[in-house]
Amino acid sequence: MGNLIDQMPPTTIFEGRVLHVEEPPEPDTVRYLDLHVGTITRYVKSITTLLLTLGIVIGCGVLVQVTRRNLGSQYSAYLTTAFNSIIPLIVKLLLFLENHPW
């Protein structure tokens, strides 16, 4: 867009410049307790959460495969159902480790 004053209506010009204006976030969407956390800390916590989640999912997959091989598909199906119910709850708890300033 630039500062093309000639192409803008006079009501949108402030002191000879066209300003870029964005609507601010709602006050209740800002997590004020997490504003002090630095960017690197947030990235480290996000990567840690990602690696833990991947580890849990891969571990559960290996456990299902071993169960299927040793005990049969019926028991692995029960185990798959249990993991499908439990893993989202665990991941939701893991997300509390992360800091989200917005």
Side-chain angles (χ1 to χ4, degrees):
M1 181 168 137
N3 262 338
L4 303 175
I5 297 173
D6 303 340
Q7 300 173 1
M8 301 301 293
T11 56
T12 61
I13 299 171
F14 178 74
E15 294 184 1
R17 298 193 61 164
V18 179
L19 301 178
H20 176 72
V21 179
E22 292 180 7
E23 187 174 340
E26 294 294 323
D28 60 343
T29 61
V30 178
R31 293 178 55 174
Y32 292 100
L33 297 176
D34 297 332
L35 288 176
H36 69 284
V37 178
T39 305
I40 293 174
T41 304
R42 277 200 321 257
Y43 285 140
V44 167
K45 288 183 177 187
S46 294
I47 290 171
T48 303
T49 304
L50 173 69
L51 293 176
L52 285 172
T53 302
L54 287 175
I56 290 169
V57 171
I58 290 170
C60 291
V62 168
L63 191 58
V64 167
Q65 185 67 23
V66 168
T67 303
R68 182 175 174 214
R69 192 177 313 128
N70 295 336
L71 300 175
S73 60
Q74 181 180 2
Y75 292 107
S76 68
Y78 292 140
L79 200 57
T80 301
T81 303
F83 287 148
N84 283 341
S85 299
I86 294 171
I87 289 176
L89 300 175
I90 294 172
V91 171
K92 206 178 285 187
L93 290 174
L94 282 175
L95 288 177
F96 284 119
L97 296 175
E98 295 182 13
N99 297 103
H100 303 277
W102 51 85

